[in-house]
Amino acid sequence: MILKMKKEDLSTFLDSVKEWGELRGPTKKEGRVTYSRVDSLSQMDLKAARTIIPPKKFLYPPRFTMFDYDQDGYTERLGDVPKRVLFGIHPCDIHGILIMDKLFLETYKDPYYAERREKTLLLGHSCIPDDKCMCIATNTDFVAEGFDLFFSDLKMFYLVWVGSTKGHDLIRLKPELFSRELDKNDILNYTEYRKWKNSQFKTKIDLTGMPDIFELGYGSPVWDQLGDKCLSCGQCTMVCPTCNCYNVVDEVELGALEGTRDRFWDSCMFREYSLVAGGHNFRDKRSDRLRLWYTHKLQAFIGEFGKPACVGCGRCVETCPVEINVVTVSTALKEQEVGK
Amino acid sequence: MKKLCVVLDEREVQDNPYRPDMWRIVRRYPLTNDVNFYQARPVEMEEALKFNYKPGQFVMVSIPGEGEAPFSISSTPSRPGMLEFCIRKTGSLTETLFEVKENHTLGVRGPYGNGFPMDKMVGKDIMIIAGGLGAAPLRSLLLYVLDNRDQFGKLTYLHGARTPGEMLFREEFIQLKEREDLNCLLTVDKDDTDKWQFRQGVVTELFKHVGPIDSKNTFAVVCGPPVMYRFVMPHLVRLGLPKHQILMTLERRMKCGVGKCGHCAIEYLYTCIDGPVFTYWDVLHMKEIIGRGVSDKTVA
Ligand SMILES: Cc1cc2nc3c(=O)[nH]c(=O)nc-3n(C[C@H](O)[C@H](O)[C@H](O)COP(=O)(O)OP(=O)(O)OC[C@H]3O[C@@H](n4cnc5c(N)ncnc54)[C@H](O)[C@@H]3O)c2cc1C
Ligand code: SF4
Ligand code: SF4
Ligand code: FES
């Protein structure tokens, strides 16, 4: 179901959704864009291309407690997750969440992720690509599922795509703001917008046809050259919307009798990641770890699911201090040379 | 999560794949200098009969405050109600496990992993080749085949250890030599006791004594230290076994056991759910492993 809403009504609508849960949206402070708690539309920056950390942090926090334990065993900690409405999520990030859904909600459903997913409404918003965006190369520039509502900005009004019953419940809080009357011009406006968006991409790269390139380049010295540059800082994994790896530790309180089992983001870029008993490490070299990361995203996942585990958000481009990212790595593999 | 109503199965409502259940250690004794044997039962007795598994699977064992790690199951599902495993002391969790005595409890969750493809192995000749700690998962398979003896063809068990003192389940396997329904061949690299009555030499020497093999109809299952694979694999291929009938287990660091944490990834496979049992054919096609040959560290 697609509805139409006047642009000036967005603010009233967002005020009403706070009834469902706390409102979060993209805000800009000292040049840094993050999803923060907001009271109203006026505090948000809907023009920003991307937040530093993707919305995965709400569904799968950087650190949280899975269990409390004592001598009698482990008691799960579920149920204390706040209800949230995230506004302004871009198509690439919704695709990122769809990849997380596959991982966490299919075989061996993860109850922690499931609970947060259930209690977080995703209100998508159309976006304006900047020079780092490449979702057109990963086929994630538009999205048709995974959100509760999706707002496409067509200058005078929004087209509002209702993606779930929970999204529809939000509409019913203020039904008078929405109209079902869509005419030919609305459709033409929308296709015009699509065409315009497609023309905005500046990063020209093909990320879907990489499996053969990876296969050919497996033993390429390019990996060693990239490995020499990499700092193993793990920032790329923290900012990537499809990175899911984690570690688990038991935190001891009160003299070892009670404590918590906590889970926190880990990175395959860290040396300890693949260390096993006896000090043997499967990926001791930085080049091996980089290759795992990129092979996973651009080759292995395509083999398995027919699309890359990269949604083209451009965060690795923005974040890596030494310019190792999907663009430079795939270009280096194709040209057999690491750029400057 | 709260219990909803009595009609629903409590386990279904509360299903949390990460939650360890408490198990009580009922027996524990040293197998070698640095390997202990444990037998455990669930604290909740009705859980004991619900717990089912396949040879070759593993469990995640927890000590509150210490952490969690994967361990192969050494017992057979044909003798239900309890779980047996062997633990080698190598680091902080395993050291603490060594201090845990009878009647103490441990967290256990699982079973995980694909296990051995028993459905494909039924009706075939089975050759098991164990070295070092590899005997832990292979004992499960061996006992399973013995308990369902009429469903399998010829059974051969080859086991090599450095010294008699380092042979896991030594007395148990020596007793098996008495049986006529399997060929149990044991060897040690060197005998420092002067009491060892069986063969000496590396495990591949035992191939001389296995007799004729119907190679196309045989499944070989290998588990041991890296060097063993390097010598055993070419032997099996030379004997004419198809590569997809040679099975091995891979060891990777594991934090979840259920395909979520990413630690055990090899290319697009997760060792914890797609493995730990792989065919030799699969392993030869894993590029991350090829470079190093199968000499890559596997369950040892
Ligand atoms: C499928 C599978 C089956 C296994 N079966 C057995 C078994 O039957 N008996 C047995 O004794 N051991 C087995 N292991 C190995 C066992 O999990 C490790 O020895 C154990 O995790 C070491 O923990 P630790 O805290 O004592 O060591 P740590 O203090 O954590 O570290 C010691 C060494 O172990 C490595 N290590 C830590 N965590 C793991 C992990 N999760 N997996 C592998 N290595 C790790 C560390 O990198 C370090 O090199 C198995 C491993 C796997 C993956
Ligand atoms: S690729 Fe870049 S961001 Fe990632 S670990 Fe290496 S230096 Fe850090
Ligand atoms: S690999 Fe880079 S561009 Fe692709 S999804 Fe991850 S952070 Fe975004
Ligand atoms: S152990 Fe976590 S993914 Fe395999």
Side-chain angles (χ1 to χ4, degrees):
Chain A
M1 178 171 42
I2 297 183
L3 306 171
K4 202 167 150 180
M5 183 180 83
K6 285 208 223 63
K7 217 57 191 281
E8 64 262 29
D9 288 338
L10 181 60
S11 178
T12 319
F13 176 66
L14 289 181
D15 284 340
S16 74
V17 305
K18 287 188 283 182
E19 199 175 293
W20 198 88
E22 61 178 62
L23 182 61
R24 298 254 170 173
T27 61
K28 195 174 196 165
K29 267 188 222 111
E30 292 159 14
R32 294 165 63 86
V33 186
T34 52
Y35 287 110
S36 333
R37 185 155 185 180
V38 286
D39 287 319
S40 68
L41 180 63
S42 60
Q43 291 165 287
M44 295 188 218
D45 179 358
L46 294 181
K47 294 227 162 55
R50 66 184 69 76
T51 52
I52 302 168
I53 304 282
K56 70 175 178 183
K57 70 173 180 183
F58 295 107
L59 306 176
Y60 168 31
R63 187 172 186 121
F64 67 92
T65 294
M66 302 172 79
F67 296 98
D68 294 289
Y69 68 77
D70 58 22
Q71 285 153 299
D72 297 327
Y74 293 82
T75 316
E76 62 210 330
R77 204 188 274 186
L78 280 167
D80 56 1
V81 175
K83 284 167 88 178
R84 291 192 178 114
V85 181
L86 303 188
F87 183 74
I89 315 264
H90 294 170
C92 59
D93 280 342
I94 296 171
H95 279 282
I97 290 170
L98 285 170
I99 288 176
M100 289 281 181
D101 284 354
K102 200 178 261 313
L103 189 94
F104 284 121
L105 299 179
E106 291 183 3
T107 33
Y108 293 113
K109 180 166 158 183
D110 183 313
Y112 303 96
Y113 182 87
E115 178 180 30
R116 286 178 172 86
R117 186 75 168 90
E118 188 84 358
K119 291 186 176 175
T120 309
L121 296 193
L122 302 179
L123 274 45
H125 193 283
S126 55
C127 50
I128 307 164
D130 73 0
D131 57 339
K132 299 184 182 76
C133 291
M134 54 201 136
C135 51
I136 192 158
T138 49
N139 208 6
T140 50
D141 48 340
F142 290 93
V143 66
E145 54 175 333
F147 52 82
D148 297 289
L149 294 175
F150 192 93
F151 292 75
S152 294
D153 182 348
L154 299 182
K155 297 205 180 90
M156 303 297 288
F157 57 87
Y158 278 113
L159 284 188
V160 184
W161 192 334
V162 185
S164 74
T165 53
K166 278 188 250 162
H168 194 229
D169 288 346
L170 294 187
I171 300 284
R172 281 163 44 188
L173 293 171
K174 285 263 181 256
E176 66 279 12
L177 303 181
F178 298 89
S179 138
R180 277 175 178 271
E181 314 286 305
L182 265 75
D183 58 31
K184 186 177 144 203
N185 278 336
D186 298 323
I187 298 172
L188 289 175
N189 274 338
Y190 183 75
T191 45
E192 200 51 43
Y193 158 73
R194 272 192 78 130
K195 249 190 257 161
W196 174 82
K197 180 173 172 179
N198 283 350
S199 70
Q200 294 304 298
F201 292 95
K202 294 178 189 72
T203 300
K204 296 269 185 283
I205 184 162
D206 174 19
L207 290 175
T208 51
M210 291 302 287
D212 48 350
I213 304 286
F214 269 86
E215 192 76 25
L216 279 166
Y218 190 80
S220 164
V222 157
W223 290 116
D224 290 322
Q225 292 158 27
L226 291 166
D228 288 342
K229 284 170 76 174
C230 172
L231 312 170
S232 292
C233 66
Q235 288 184 72
C236 46
T237 46
M238 305 299 147
V239 303
C240 179
T242 69
C243 275
N244 61 281
C245 295
Y246 66 79
N247 207 337
V248 180
V249 287
D250 280 9
E251 293 293 347
V252 185
E253 291 157 19
L254 303 175
L257 295 178
E258 286 176 28
T260 56
R261 173 163 286 179
D262 294 353
R263 170 162 149 189
F264 55 93
W265 290 358
D266 197 358
S267 170
C268 60
M269 293 298 186
F270 296 154
R271 193 180 165 274
E272 308 74 43
Y273 186 81
S274 301
L275 203 65
V276 299
H280 182 87
N281 197 319
F282 293 102
R283 300 186 194 97
D284 208 13
K285 292 188 5 227
R286 267 188 275 246
S287 54
D288 289 345
R289 301 200 291 274
L290 270 174
R291 185 166 56 195
L292 171 78
W293 206 87
Y294 284 98
T295 308
H296 179 83
K297 297 241 187 268
L298 299 180
Q299 180 187 21
F301 206 83
I302 297 184
E304 186 94 322
F305 299 109
K307 58 179 186 185
C310 165
V311 296
C313 70
R315 286 187 178 90
C316 54
V317 181
E318 191 159 274
T319 305
C320 176
V322 295
E323 286 177 34
I324 296 174
N325 55 56
V326 279
V327 182
T328 56
V329 170
S330 51
T331 311
L333 272 180
K334 282 179 185 162
E335 298 177 358
Q336 287 299 296
E337 192 173 31
V338 178
K340 55 151 180 111
Chain B
M1 210 185 278
K2 285 214 189 70
K3 233 199 277 188
L4 293 182
C5 71
V6 279
V7 187
L8 291 173
D9 178 355
E10 194 179 321
R11 276 197 81 92
E12 260 168 45
V13 178
Q14 300 195 331
D15 206 18
N16 183 337
Y18 305 110
R19 190 195 45 239
D21 289 322
M22 296 317 275
W23 288 55
R24 190 178 302 286
I25 295 174
V26 290
R27 288 180 79 191
R28 184 201 82 142
Y29 52 83
L31 287 173
T32 70
N33 254 346
D34 61 351
V35 180
N36 265 1
F37 170 83
Y38 296 81
Q39 191 182 64
R41 282 170 187 280
V43 169
E44 303 292 338
M45 267 322 278
E46 69 253 40
E47 290 299 313
L49 294 172
K50 273 195 232 156
F51 192 85
N52 196 9
Y53 57 93
K54 273 167 62 173
Q57 287 194 295
F58 64 92
V59 284
M60 296 294 287
V61 176
S62 285
I63 299 194
E66 233 353 285
E68 194 175 42
F71 295 95
S72 310
I73 303 176
S74 285
S75 46
T76 166
S78 46
R79 302 177 195 175
M82 50 89 185
L83 199 58
E84 292 170 345
F85 38 87
C86 310
I87 290 173
R88 169 182 285 159
K89 202 196 302 195
T90 74
S92 62
L93 176 72
T94 44
E95 263 163 41
T96 315
L97 276 166
F98 258 60
E99 287 158 24
V100 179
K101 303 225 161 63
E102 287 90 347
N103 261 328
H104 286 216
T105 55
L106 294 173
V108 172
R109 62 187 178 91
Y112 298 125
N114 55 356
F116 298 114
M118 298 315 302
D119 47 340
K120 292 199 186 108
M121 293 165 78
V122 162
K124 298 283 191 314
D125 292 348
I126 307 290
M127 186 192 281
I128 300 173
I129 303 144
L133 203 49
L138 292 182
R139 176 177 178 260
S140 176
L141 176 65
L142 177 66
L143 298 181
Y144 183 85
V145 174
L146 288 173
D147 287 356
N148 298 280
R149 193 64 195 85
D150 54 344
Q151 296 198 36
F152 296 89
K154 229 168 84 178
L155 174 62
T156 314
Y157 182 74
L158 313 183
H159 187 165
R162 250 172 301 181
T163 61
E166 282 178 61
M167 182 173 282
L168 261 57
F169 303 105
R170 186 184 56 239
E171 298 309 318
E172 189 177 319
F173 293 143
I174 288 176
Q175 278 176 16
L176 288 182
K177 289 183 75 71
E178 312 276 311
R179 282 179 70 152
E180 276 159 14
D181 57 354
L182 87 159
N183 186 7
C184 177
L185 297 168
L186 308 177
T187 185
V188 295
D189 293 351
K190 77 173 190 294
D191 176 25
D192 48 7
T193 59
D194 280 337
K195 286 191 202 120
W196 182 250
Q197 295 169 6
F198 311 99
R199 293 180 201 283
Q200 275 194 47
V202 292
V203 78
T204 40
E205 291 287 308
L206 295 177
F207 281 112
K208 291 181 191 147
H209 309 283
V210 294
I213 290 173
D214 178 4
S215 54
K216 298 286 173 281
N217 197 39
T218 300
F219 263 94
V221 189
V222 192
C223 197
V227 294
M228 200 180 102
Y229 289 101
R230 205 177 322 143
F231 293 107
V232 168
M233 292 307 182
H235 245 281
L236 292 171
V237 175
R238 241 177 283 136
L239 285 175
L241 266 80
K243 292 195 181 77
H244 65 272
Q245 281 172 213
I246 305 176
L247 306 169
M248 53 193 291
T249 30
L250 295 184
E251 187 176 319
R252 280 294 183 279
R253 196 180 171 96
M254 292 183 180
K255 286 289 162 189
C256 71
V258 291
K260 308 284 187 250
C261 76
H263 280 262
C264 69
I266 308 177
E267 294 167 30
Y268 62 93
L269 296 172
Y270 286 127
T271 315
C272 63
I273 47 181
D274 302 310
V277 177
F278 292 96
T279 68
Y280 187 39
W281 176 262
D282 290 336
V283 172
L284 285 177
H285 288 84
M286 292 173 184
K287 278 193 264 56
E288 264 199 287
I289 294 176
I290 289 184
R292 303 150 213 236
V294 204
S295 60
D296 200 346
K297 171 128 182 171
T298 32
V299 160

